């Protein structure tokens, strides 16, 4: 197999994977806060490749980046989406423009996360920082520029800035950021990356970069895109009705649709409209800040911060199918199992007992956004706390998927789950499959974003097909399908009431 390198620039960690006959984890380190340190980390990992590399793909968190000077040097540390940002200027912009009109134009909800909020604030309070000669580069774009000398991005990352116009369904994406939107922040399109669309040629490794990475000059380098989107592509989510559910500390649900009839309704539900990796298929993107994070929140209060102790209360935690394989990634710790269908019968009465938890330590982003929502126990709580915790986050995700289908008028045709947390807690995955009501799989790969970025780079170079990464089927607990569906309806009703 032709080899490629995939880079995942995450909120917490950066991973670099060599994908080939045997996938190898080259680096897994905390994501640096400076561009120089990031370049050093990735360059060191690239130099460890012991086979010819045909392409490099870079995926990254969205809404994060650097201010660069005219020579491409960073003037700021990494400005992350999770940093506290003042969105007063953004809210004033939304009032002038109209929140629905702004969402119609970009598919992004006004708030503190989009880079537009940061740029508006800098224009008002630090006009010297961006100025007329400096530029903005997303974290993936800045790394790609260091490798190739070209400032480029992918539409899935551009689309999270609120400065990239989202055309109507079926229309072609733009290759530049939107001039009138940028003007609100005092910026011009030349201060932002060019947008490389599917089918466009890649940037290529320079001779000087090749010398210190050990890769060949001219090696194609792709900004593969937004990490959630790239992982969804890797999971085989390519057609309307298919859903990617990426679970970690937070949870992101990407639902491919045939079209969005009412974008303003999507905004009111706290979700976004995006284009999928292919640049053509529309999708609804939604999430919650608390998935694994909710388990940690509970563990901090009940088990001295030990999530494993919390999940030890869940019956059947270690049940997996015989013959499960381990990941080929070297040095990646305990890799996930390949199937999550228990080998012994799990007593259904251990689950779906009366009482449940509303999992909102910091408000609810969607559906039906409610910043005042809090954690509540509803009814008589009889199940173990660990069971109630994974049921709570599973109900929340199922509600998101259900509401996305209602907004788009689409039937769910497959739930594709991604995330090591679901491998560590097999019953969490099974509850999600029981609630799904459709074919459910779990990606086997222990580094799905980096691996998918490498595969996508090869596909865009015409060196590989677009086959999905291996996934294991996850079976529902048939005896619980009806009762979980009734409890989901009750969960939604109580969440909307806030009781």
């Amino acid at each position: 197999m032709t080899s490629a390198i995939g880079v995942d620039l995450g909120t917490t960690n950066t991973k670099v994977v060599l994908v080939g006959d045997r996938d190898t984890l080259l680096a897994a380190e905390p994501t640096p806060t400076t561009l120089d340190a990031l370049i050093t980390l990735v360059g060191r990992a690239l130099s460890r490749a012991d086979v010819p590399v045909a392409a490099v793909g870079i995926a990254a968190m969205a809404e994060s980046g650097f201010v660069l000077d005219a020579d491409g040097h960073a003037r700021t540390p990494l400005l992350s989406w999770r940093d506290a940002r003042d969105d007063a200027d953004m809210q004033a912009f939304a009032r002038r423009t109209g929140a629905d009109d702004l969402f119609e134009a970009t598919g992004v909800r006004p708030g503190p996360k989009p880079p537009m909020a940061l740029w508006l604030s800098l224009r008002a309070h630090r006009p010297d920082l961006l100025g007329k000669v400096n530029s903005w580069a997303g974290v993936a774009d800045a790394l790609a520029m260091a490798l190739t000398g070209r400032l480029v991005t992918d539409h899935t990352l551009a689309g999270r800035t609120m400065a990239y116009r989202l055309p109507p369904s079926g229309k072609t994406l733009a290759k530049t950021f939107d001039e009138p939107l940028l003007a609100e922040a005092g910026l011009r399109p030349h201060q932002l990356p060019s947008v490389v669309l599917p089918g466009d040629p890649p940037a290529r490794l320079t001779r000087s970069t090749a010398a210190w990475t050990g890769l060949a000059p001219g090696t194609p380098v792709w900004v593969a895109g937004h990490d959630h989107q790239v992982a969804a592509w890797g999971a085989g989510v390519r057609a309307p009705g298919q859903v990617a559910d990426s679970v970690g500390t937070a949870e992101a649900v990407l639902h491919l649709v045939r079209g969005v009839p009412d974008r303003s309704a999507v905004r009111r539900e706290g979700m976004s409209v995006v284009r999928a990796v292919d640049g053509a298929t529309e999708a609804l993107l939604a999430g919650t800040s608390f998935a694994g994070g909710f388990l940690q929140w509970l563990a901090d209060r009940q088990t001295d911060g030990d999530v494993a102790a919390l999940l030890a209360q869940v019956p059947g935690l270690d049940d997996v199918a015989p013959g499960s394989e381990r990941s080929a990634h070297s040095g990646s710790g305990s890799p996930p199992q390949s199937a999550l269908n228990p080998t012994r019968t799990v007593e259904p009465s251990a689950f779906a007992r009366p009482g449940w938890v509303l999992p909102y330590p910091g408000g609810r982003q969607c559906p039906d956004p409610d910043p005042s929502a809090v954690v509540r126990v509803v009814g008589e709580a009889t199940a173990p706390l660990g069971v109630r915790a994974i049921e709570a986050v599973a109900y929340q995700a199922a509600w998101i998927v259900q509401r996305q289908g209602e907004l788009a008028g689409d039937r769910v045709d497959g739930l594709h789950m991604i995330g090591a947390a679901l491998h560590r807690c097999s019953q969490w995955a099974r509850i999600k499959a029981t609630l799904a009501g459709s074919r459910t799989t779990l990606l086997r790969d222990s580094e799905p974003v980096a691996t998918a970025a490498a595969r996508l780079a090869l596909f865009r170079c015409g060196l590989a097909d677009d086959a999905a990464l291996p996934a294991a089927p996850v079976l529902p607990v048939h005896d619980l399908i009806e009762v979980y569906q009734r409890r989901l309806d009750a969960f939604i009703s109580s969440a909307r009431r806030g009781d």
Side-chain angles (χ1 to χ4, degrees):
M1 176 182 174
T2 304
S3 296
I5 283 177
V7 182
D8 172 15
L9 304 174
T11 303
T12 305
N13 294 300
T14 288
K15 283 83 68 178
V16 183
V17 171
L18 174 65
V19 171
D21 293 331
R22 183 178 183 275
D23 297 352
T24 303
L25 186 66
L26 299 176
E29 300 182 31
T31 297
T33 58
T34 69
L35 180 55
D36 286 347
L38 180 64
I39 293 168
T40 298
L41 186 163
V42 174
R44 186 169 62 243
L46 295 178
S47 68
R48 295 172 183 157
D50 56 2
V51 296
V53 171
V56 176
I58 306 169
M61 55 186 157
E63 294 121 354
S64 306
F66 302 91
V67 175
L68 305 181
D69 65 20
D71 296 319
H73 300 128
R75 292 199 62 193
T76 63
L78 177 63
L79 301 172
S80 171
W81 66 268
R82 67 177 179 180
D83 296 337
R85 290 179 181 172
D86 180 358
D87 70 339
D89 297 294
M90 167 65 85
Q91 296 306 324
F93 172 41
R95 287 192 295 272
R96 289 196 311 273
T97 308
D100 279 345
D101 290 342
L102 192 56
F103 190 88
E104 182 71 27
T106 66
V108 179
R109 292 174 296 111
K113 281 181 64 175
M116 176 62 84
L118 174 66
W119 304 336
L120 289 167
S121 180
L122 290 178
R123 183 184 193 188
H125 307 292
R126 287 291 309 276
D128 60 303
L129 192 54
L130 274 173
K132 295 183 178 180
V133 296
N134 295 329
S135 58
W136 169 266
V139 59
D141 318 336
L143 177 60
M145 184 177 183
L147 296 175
T148 69
R150 289 182 57 195
L151 184 56
V152 297
T153 193
D154 180 77
H155 74 90
T156 59
L157 291 168
R160 304 305 302 154
T161 62
M162 196 178 263
Y164 183 69
R165 194 167 290 272
L166 182 68
S169 302
K171 299 298 183 181
T172 304
L173 290 166
K175 294 190 177 185
T176 61
F177 285 79
D178 188 74
E179 188 164 2
L181 289 171
L182 284 176
E184 294 285 343
L187 295 170
R188 301 289 299 276
H190 73 268
Q191 293 175 272
L192 278 291
S194 299
V195 182
V196 176
L197 301 181
D200 288 346
R204 294 183 179 275
L205 208 68
T206 64
R207 288 190 175 277
S208 59
T209 304
W212 57 265
T213 61
L215 303 186
T219 300
V221 176
W222 300 90
V223 177
H226 186 191
D227 48 12
H228 293 308
Q229 289 258 41
V230 172
W233 181 89
V237 175
R238 315 285 173 80
Q242 295 181 329
V243 179
D245 183 2
S246 181
V247 180
T249 301
E251 186 162 7
V253 181
L254 183 78
H255 190 148
L256 272 56
V257 299
R258 289 176 176 81
V260 181
D262 185 355
R263 288 186 181 178
S264 62
V266 177
R267 181 187 71 82
R268 289 192 293 272
E269 289 291 353
M271 304 182 193
S272 301
V273 181
V274 300
R275 288 284 181 94
V277 163
D278 65 7
T281 307
E282 282 196 324
L284 301 181
L285 178 63
T288 171
S289 299
F290 296 98
F294 178 62
L295 305 186
Q296 186 64 63
W297 186 91
L298 281 178
D300 289 343
R301 288 154 178 79
Q302 300 293 331
T303 57
D304 293 326
D306 188 348
V307 174
L310 182 71
L311 295 180
Q313 305 169 13
V314 182
L317 179 63
D318 298 321
D319 287 337
V320 293
S324 30
E325 301 170 2
R326 290 191 175 272
S327 164
H329 290 153
S330 63
S332 57
S334 299
Q337 305 289 355
S338 67
L340 293 172
N341 305 318
T343 57
R344 66 173 184 269
T345 301
V346 175
E347 174 57 47
S349 63
F351 299 88
R353 292 181 182 179
W356 56 82
V357 179
L358 299 179
Y360 308 126
R364 182 175 62 249
Q365 178 177 319
C366 68
D368 192 14
D370 182 2
S372 66
V374 296
V375 176
R376 293 180 186 271
V377 177
V378 180
E380 181 185 0
T382 60
L385 181 60
V387 172
R388 283 183 281 141
I390 60 174
E391 286 180 337
V393 291
Y395 289 141
Q396 176 62 26
W399 182 17
I400 291 173
V401 174
Q402 180 185 103
R403 190 69 187 110
Q404 287 177 328
E406 292 168 351
L407 288 166
D410 270 345
R411 173 180 170 273
V412 175
D413 184 26
L415 179 68
H416 301 260
M417 300 186 297
I418 305 160
L422 300 179
H423 288 281
R424 290 192 291 268
C425 184
S426 62
Q427 296 304 354
W428 186 0
R430 294 203 75 207
I431 291 170
K432 292 171 78 68
T434 305
L435 286 163
S438 63
R439 183 176 63 89
T440 306
T441 64
L442 177 58
L443 212 59
R444 295 178 182 178
D445 203 283
S446 62
E447 298 296 347
V449 175
T451 303
R455 295 284 184 90
L456 183 57
L458 288 174
F459 171 67
R460 287 179 171 170
C461 289
L463 299 174
D465 60 24
D466 63 347
L469 300 176
V474 183
L475 299 182
V477 182
H478 291 286
D479 291 345
L480 293 179
I481 291 176
E482 290 186 9
V483 67
Y484 265 130
Q485 191 57 58
R486 290 195 301 270
R487 285 168 59 82
L488 173 61
D489 294 339
F491 172 90
I492 293 171
S493 295
S494 62
R496 287 188 185 280
R497 294 192 307 267
D499 60 17

